[in-house]
Amino acid sequence: MHEMSIAQSILDIILQESGNHKVTRVLSVALKVGELSAVETESLRFCFEFLTKGTAAEGAQLDIERVQVTCRCQDCASDFTVKELTFSCPSCGSGKLEMLSGRELSVESFEAE
Ligand SMILES: [Zn+2]
């Protein structure tokens, strides 16, 4: 499952960082998830809960921030947020776009004690 491997890599990052900082318990984890990363947040929560059992991150809250898809037009250089999945520039109609955000999936920070 897609979300299971993502949850695993999130946990790996947290446990590695925790090891460096002598953490006994992870309280919450802040994630950024792009709208185009195709991650089902409920499913990710479920997998994370499952994987963290018996680790320092057991019971940690996942704070998931969804990141909108933004693009830059290669022809007129305007930046815009993609609302519906129509990939053309709202200023000049060009289809030559560079994606600036929307695919990310990263651990922003986490709280621990
Ligand atoms: Zn344009």
Side-chain angles (χ1 to χ4, degrees):
M1 199 201 295
H2 184 56
E3 281 80 5
M4 191 59 95
S5 57
I6 293 168
Q8 183 64 60
S9 45
I10 293 168
L11 182 60
D12 288 346
I13 294 168
I14 296 167
L15 292 183
Q16 198 186 350
E17 284 291 316
S18 301
N20 295 340
H21 296 96
K22 294 192 165 61
V23 159
T24 50
R25 204 160 70 91
V26 178
L27 305 174
S28 67
V29 183
L31 294 179
K32 271 195 174 169
V33 177
E35 294 288 2
L36 280 187
S37 63
V39 171
E40 195 60 63
T41 51
E42 281 318 302
S43 168
L44 183 61
R45 283 181 203 282
F46 176 83
C47 294
F48 185 76
E49 214 170 284
F50 176 81
L51 290 172
T52 52
K53 283 206 166 68
T55 74
E58 181 167 2
Q61 280 285 326
L62 278 188
D63 296 325
I64 299 174
E65 185 192 336
R66 309 288 308 201
V67 180
Q68 289 184 317
V69 182
T70 55
C71 287
R72 171 168 298 161
C73 176
Q74 307 266 285
D75 282 334
C76 73
S78 52
D79 293 349
F80 59 95
T81 303
V82 180
K83 296 263 191 282
E84 288 125 38
L85 291 181
T86 48
F87 288 92
S88 60
C89 174
S91 308
C92 73
S94 170
K96 274 198 264 170
L97 306 173
E98 177 197 356
M99 196 171 294
L100 301 176
S101 70
R103 285 188 197 280
E104 54 272 270
L105 203 153
S106 56
V107 177
E108 285 299 298
S109 61
F110 65 92
E111 240 185 286
E113 55 180 24

